[in-house]
């Protein structure tokens, strides 16, 4: 079986994408609301990813 | 006013048995939705859970085994094991085919383990969603 080796960032983005889609589908009723909520979740994940990344960068210096 | 009408309409439609769709969703991620005639939802939720599980395997993520000790160990290992079990047939097939990746240090393996747990958590979310649809709490 091949081994997948992505970067930390790529894997976190993939995780955020799958989770956001699932949260969007289960969290809202209409198609429009689901898409909007999934995009909101994905944006929040990415924002937290960058925020925590910079926090760890400065904390590590 | 509109809410009252909606409640009456919802109450007029008999709730289906929730057990079969929930069990089916556990065994085959997304399958319960098809029983409830919401195939688009089922296809997307099933795809998310299965893709996440497969990516977890490709990253050589480790399955959790239940372990007890201090509170944190119990929560992490038992919770992880329950989440792994929540992927249903995917977990049992992978185990049956001899998948047993060691829990090595490294970000790829670590993410793989999280993807395997995440696939289970998405399937738990799907099971709750299927339950609510079957009980007519959600359309």
């Amino acid at each position: 079986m091949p081994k997948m080796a992505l970067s930390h960032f790529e894997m976190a983005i993939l995780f955020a994408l799958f989770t956001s889609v699932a949260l969007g589908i289960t969290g809202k009723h209409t198609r429009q609301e689901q898409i909007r909520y999934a995009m909101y979740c994905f944006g929040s994940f990415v924002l937290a990813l960058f925020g925590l990344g910079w926090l760890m960068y400065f904390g590590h210096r | 006013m509109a809410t009252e009408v909606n409640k009456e309409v919802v109450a007029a439609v008999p709730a289906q048995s929730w057990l079969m769709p929930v069990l089916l969703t556990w065994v085959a991620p997304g399958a319960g939705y098809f029983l409830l005639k919401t195939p688009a939802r089922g296809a997307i939720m099933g795809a998310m859970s299965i893709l996440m599980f497969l990516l977890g395997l490709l990253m050589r993520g480790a399955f959790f085994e239940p372990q007890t000790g201090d509170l944190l160990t119990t929560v992490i290992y038992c919770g992880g094991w329950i989440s792994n079990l929540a992927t249903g047939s995917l977990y049992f097939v992978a185990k049956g085919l001899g998948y047993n990746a060691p829990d090595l240090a490294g970000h790829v393996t670590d993410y793989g383990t999280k993807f395997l747990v995440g696939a289970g958590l998405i399937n738990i979310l799907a099971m709750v969603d299927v339950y609510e649809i079957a009980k007519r709490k959600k359309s």
Side-chain angles (χ1 to χ4, degrees):
Chain A
M1 193 162 69
K3 186 178 180 180
M4 193 178 216
L6 299 172
S7 72
H8 209 298
F9 180 72
E10 289 163 340
M11 285 188 284
I13 289 289
L14 269 180
F15 189 91
L17 183 71
F18 292 135
T19 313
S20 301
V21 172
L23 287 174
I25 292 285
T26 54
K28 299 287 174 186
H29 295 275
T30 65
R31 186 60 48 88
Q32 198 69 30
E33 282 177 337
Q34 288 172 339
I35 293 170
R36 201 172 299 163
Y37 188 58
M39 283 168 71
Y40 168 76
C41 288
F42 184 71
S44 303
F45 268 121
V46 174
L47 201 69
L49 185 64
F50 276 100
L52 288 171
W54 278 107
L55 196 73
M56 282 189 274
Y57 173 75
F58 287 119
H60 199 67
R61 283 174 72 176
Chain B
M1 179 77 177
T3 319
E4 282 173 26
V5 173
N6 280 346
K7 274 181 188 168
E8 281 171 21
V9 170
V10 168
V13 180
Q16 286 175 277
S17 167
W18 56 269
L19 191 64
M20 198 59 195
V22 170
L23 270 178
L24 201 62
T25 305
W26 173 59
V27 173
Y33 287 98
F34 288 85
L35 213 63
L36 297 172
K37 311 254 185 319
T38 48
R41 232 172 215 235
I44 296 172
M45 287 302 284
M48 290 304 110
S49 194
I50 292 167
L51 269 174
M52 223 163 157
F53 188 85
L54 290 177
L55 284 173
L57 292 185
L58 285 172
M59 291 174 199
R60 299 282 191 278
F63 284 132
F64 281 95
E65 296 294 335
Q67 253 181 58
T68 50
D70 60 295
L71 183 66
L72 203 59
T73 306
T74 308
V75 169
I76 290 171
Y77 282 88
C78 292
W81 180 65
I82 290 167
S83 293
N84 284 157
L85 277 180
T87 49
S89 61
L90 301 176
Y91 173 80
F92 293 111
V93 167
K95 273 279 191 190
L97 292 175
Y99 180 82
N100 190 20
D103 192 8
L104 301 170
H107 75 279
V108 177
T109 311
D110 209 30
Y111 260 102
T113 305
K114 270 63 182 176
F115 268 65
L116 292 174
V117 170
L121 292 176
I122 285 178
N123 209 28
I124 290 174
L125 210 58
M127 282 190 268
V128 173
D129 198 37
V130 160
Y131 170 80
E132 288 185 335
I133 294 170
K135 294 289 273 184
R136 303 276 181 218
K137 290 178 181 174
K138 199 187 249 185
S139 55

